[in-house]
Amino acid sequence: MITGKNYIGNQLSAKGNKTYKTFNPKLNIENEHTFFEASEEEIEKAVISASEAYKTFKNISGSKKAEFLNAIADEILALDDELINTYISETGLPEGRAKGERGRTIGQLRTFADLVAEGSWVEATIDTADLDRAPIPKQDIRKMLVPLGPVVVFGASNFPLAYSTAGGDTAAAFAAGCPVIVKSHPMHAGTGELIASAIHKAAQKTGMPDGVFSNLNSAGIDVGIQLVKHPKVKAVGFTGSIRGGRALFDLASQRPEPIPVFAEMGSVNPVILLPQATKNKGKALAETYAKSITLGAGQFCTNPGLILGIKGEALDNFTNILSDEIVKIEPSCMLHPNIIGNYERNRSTALEQGGISITAEYDSDVMINHARQTVTKVEGKTFLENTTLHQEIFGPFSMVVQCENAKELETIISNLEGQLTGTILAEDEEASTYNSVIEALQNRVGRIIFNGVPTGVEVCPAMLHGGPYPASTDSRFTAVGIHAIKRWVRPFSYQSWPNDLLPDELKDENPLGISRLVDGNHSQRKI
Ligand code: NAP
């Protein structure tokens, strides 16, 4: 049941004066529930109780954490239609998408449960003593990953489940042993509260400490700012715009004790169309890309916003077919009037730039809050000189850049900001003749795709979802897949520590049977 209140650990609370409602973009009306923004006192309480919870939660066994994560998944499923209907009413997204995203969220929680139940993720490393070593005896040193402390999570508007309240950041932080305070996204506050209730029930059923999770409502940026500045908060996970992520990163760096902000932000996901592929399969690629650009009204961080090719008949052909195909697709509803407002504004800014022309624009009447898909083209030189054209336009928008030759293509790629993904569309035999173009792309992205589309992020251990700034604030980490846990931990060493006082992961007997690096060899054996 939605109450509009904040979850401060085990307590529902509504002490703030500011209230707000979510919005149904399809019906163009406000939803019924009123949400209470967290007051300063409530924020303080949530952080203090997270920091108290940390004292026990950090030492909870992997198998108990797995029970907790699996129980969250079960409780989310138990929300059933109430969750799906609330999701739809707060986003305008269809039922299939809501259920698909729920499946992904459940899958992420269960994957982290399996990871911590098995236990080897802590990277236990043991160097045994050699007290006879000359000239200095070698001490026994043992290292493993330990949780950072209370973590604040900000979700994005376009993934109310998978990148929000119990999304990848929260699941990974719980798996690591960090209590989580979620700054609820105002556009899907009802969905957020339902998920928070599921986490709360799971925490109680599996005996987790009060304060292991809080969910704070906010109508604007103040709650998030207070949270990031709080001295007891030790790290931040953010998914959203470059502007928002950068503001929080700067805030966290300016604290007396700076803390890491792992921000996953926007991207234009360049697609490189090599000449043979353009010539031989331009039609099929154009049809595929028309669908990819408009998928979910273009509201994906991996949306292909930039297509780069070498000038000529084949590229013209591709652009024409892409333009013809994209206007055949029915426009979709965007998430919120603010999102469509930003789309229209950013699109207009791009279209006002010199040298850019529209090749396709859906020009029939559209329903309220539905986005008109747009394809544009521009010369390579113009694009290179005007960085306004390099910015993400969040929505069903893409730009074809016509380069003079491979050299210009490479120069443009090298001048792009960091990106989540880059795609190469090529015939098998031509890829090797464009090595320097491919290497330039590899330097700018977190994931490179061969003959595919960037939309769709598989959740698996080998996935890297991140990239050089501004795709993320730290390209060494991923937001998707089990290695996302590494954002919420730090390595910690014990020197000459008594065996019975060591954590189980580092004890001689290896009671958890985990894989460890012992004196340079991977092993599950006792010492
Ligand atoms: P957003 O406007 O940046 O908002 C994300 C969250 O951050 C919201 O809760 C927002 O609160 C908060 N926030 C924003 N600016 C802030 C500031 N200066 N101080 C404190 N809090 C701040 O992004 P969005 O519209 O929700 O999401 C769309 C964007 O997310 C797109 O750019 C998309 O590419 C990106 N995205 C990236 C990924 C990825 O994995 N890389 C995944 C999905 C989406 P308020 O709403 O209260 O301002």
Side-chain angles (χ1 to χ4, degrees):
M1 195 185 76
I2 298 172
T3 65
K5 297 182 182 178
N6 303 279
Y7 271 95
I8 315 286
N10 287 342
Q11 310 262 302
L12 271 171
S13 177
K15 297 201 169 132
N17 304 322
K18 277 193 209 157
T19 61
Y20 62 101
K21 292 185 173 213
T22 60
F23 195 83
N24 185 325
K26 267 217 159 125
L27 303 179
N28 203 38
I29 53 169
E30 282 188 328
N31 289 308
E32 72 174 283
H33 298 287
T34 299
F35 294 88
F36 293 82
E37 179 167 276
S39 66
E40 282 185 25
E41 181 196 334
E42 286 168 322
I43 298 169
E44 179 67 18
K45 236 174 140 182
V47 179
I48 297 300
S49 79
S51 120
E52 283 302 307
Y54 174 64
K55 292 177 187 164
T56 44
F57 190 57
K58 68 177 178 173
N59 293 323
I60 279 172
S61 70
S63 57
K64 282 298 287 176
K65 281 190 288 186
E67 265 179 44
F68 177 38
L69 289 161
N70 278 320
I72 298 172
D74 296 340
E75 293 296 338
I76 290 175
L77 281 174
L79 289 167
D80 207 11
D81 285 350
E82 189 184 7
L83 177 66
I84 299 299
N85 294 335
T86 305
Y87 176 109
I88 294 168
S89 72
E90 292 184 331
T91 61
L93 293 169
E95 184 179 335
R97 163 69 196 273
K99 289 189 168 163
E101 202 185 323
R102 180 181 60 182
R104 183 189 175 108
T105 308
I106 300 295
Q108 289 176 164
L109 287 158
R110 297 209 193 281
T111 305
F112 278 111
D114 291 347
L115 181 78
V116 293
E118 193 281 328
S120 303
W121 71 273
V122 297
E123 295 178 1
T125 306
I126 299 174
D127 288 297
T128 53
D130 179 1
L131 299 179
D132 297 331
R133 190 183 69 177
I136 312 165
K138 182 178 168 229
Q139 301 301 319
D140 182 289
I141 304 187
R142 304 184 181 210
K143 182 173 76 175
M144 64 179 276
L145 301 174
V146 298
L148 286 177
V151 160
V152 172
V153 168
F154 293 75
S157 57
N158 59 336
F159 278 98
L161 297 174
Y163 289 83
S164 194
T165 321
D169 284 356
T170 299
F174 281 155
C178 298
V180 174
I181 302 154
V182 165
K183 202 295 283 183
S184 167
H185 200 293
M187 289 184 197
H188 53 253
T191 306
E193 190 191 327
L194 289 174
I195 296 287
S197 73
I199 300 176
H200 172 70
K201 274 190 196 147
Q204 290 206 314
K205 279 187 181 168
T206 56
M208 293 299 133
D210 186 13
V212 72
F213 177 76
S214 290
N215 183 56
L216 302 181
N217 294 324
S218 74
I221 62 174
D222 299 344
V223 172
I225 290 173
Q226 195 183 328
L227 282 169
V228 172
K229 281 176 149 174
H230 200 292
K232 290 194 183 299
V233 168
K234 298 301 174 198
V236 177
F238 172 92
T239 312
S241 62
I242 294 173
R243 200 161 52 96
R246 181 65 204 230
L248 295 175
F249 178 85
D250 289 345
L251 198 64
S253 314
Q254 286 154 13
R255 291 171 30 136
E257 178 198 351
I259 52 168
V261 174
F262 298 101
E264 295 299 321
M265 302 175 284
S267 198
V268 289
N269 304 295
V271 176
I272 315 302
L273 200 43
L274 294 185
Q276 280 306 314
T278 320
K279 191 168 163 216
N280 298 347
K281 44 189 188 191
K283 181 170 185 301
L285 290 172
E287 287 165 358
T288 304
Y289 268 80
K291 290 185 194 131
S292 178
I293 294 163
T294 50
L295 189 70
Q299 300 166 125
F300 285 109
C301 51
T302 50
N303 200 54
L306 192 63
I307 300 172
L308 301 136
I310 296 175
K311 238 182 195 173
E313 199 183 328
L315 185 61
D316 287 344
N317 232 0
F318 167 87
T319 311
N320 292 339
I321 300 169
L322 173 66
S323 303
D324 291 347
E325 290 299 318
I326 208 163
V327 291
K328 290 182 194 160
I329 296 171
E330 270 304 308
S332 323
C333 188
M334 292 198 88
L335 295 159
H336 191 275
N338 290 352
I339 299 269
I340 194 153
N342 287 341
Y343 173 62
E344 297 293 354
R345 205 167 22 258
N346 294 335
R347 199 176 70 120
S348 301
T349 304
L351 296 176
E352 282 159 12
Q353 306 303 307
I356 186 164
S357 57
I358 297 178
T359 66
E361 183 178 29
Y362 190 90
D363 60 2
S364 307
D365 286 346
V366 290
M367 282 188 278
I368 187 104
N369 299 324
H370 283 53
R372 289 171 196 280
Q373 53 266 36
T374 307
V375 177
T376 58
K377 68 175 180 186
V378 67
E379 298 278 321
K381 186 171 178 296
T382 312
F383 179 82
L384 198 53
E385 286 167 357
N386 186 350
T387 52
T388 301
L389 298 175
H390 300 204
Q391 307 311 310
E392 178 193 43
I393 297 177
F394 189 62
F397 181 97
S398 198
M399 189 183 301
V400 178
V401 180
Q402 302 168 308
C403 304
E404 282 299 328
N405 48 39
K407 186 78 209 136
E408 188 175 68
L409 180 58
E410 188 187 328
T411 308
I412 290 177
I413 296 168
S414 302
N415 280 279
L416 289 175
E417 292 185 318
Q419 306 288 333
L420 292 168
T421 74
T423 303
I424 296 284
L425 302 176
E427 290 292 8
D428 286 350
E429 63 281 2
E430 78 177 325
S432 57
T433 57
Y434 283 86
N435 267 342
S436 52
V437 167
I438 293 173
E439 276 186 24
L441 186 63
Q442 212 171 338
N443 280 336
R444 306 309 309 131
V445 307
R447 172 165 59 110
I448 195 160
I449 299 149
F450 191 70
N451 282 342
V453 288
T455 36
V457 181
E458 181 73 30
V459 182
C460 62
M463 176 54 70
L464 187 286
H465 190 61
Y469 182 84
S472 78
T473 44
D474 195 333
S475 63
R476 294 170 299 170
F477 297 92
T478 178
V480 171
I482 50 171
H483 296 126
I485 199 170
K486 294 200 179 162
R487 296 170 300 165
W488 315 124
V489 291
R490 66 189 173 97
F492 183 85
S493 288
Y494 294 86
Q495 183 167 328
S496 309
W497 210 250
N499 188 55
D500 55 343
L501 297 184
L502 283 168
D504 283 352
E505 289 86 345
L506 297 177
K507 285 194 165 102
D508 285 350
E509 311 82 280
N510 193 10
L512 303 175
I514 61 174
S515 174
R516 315 189 289 187
L517 187 68
V518 181
D519 293 329
N521 298 309
H522 289 284
S523 148
Q524 284 177 280
R525 276 179 294 138
K526 300 175 186 173
I527 293 170

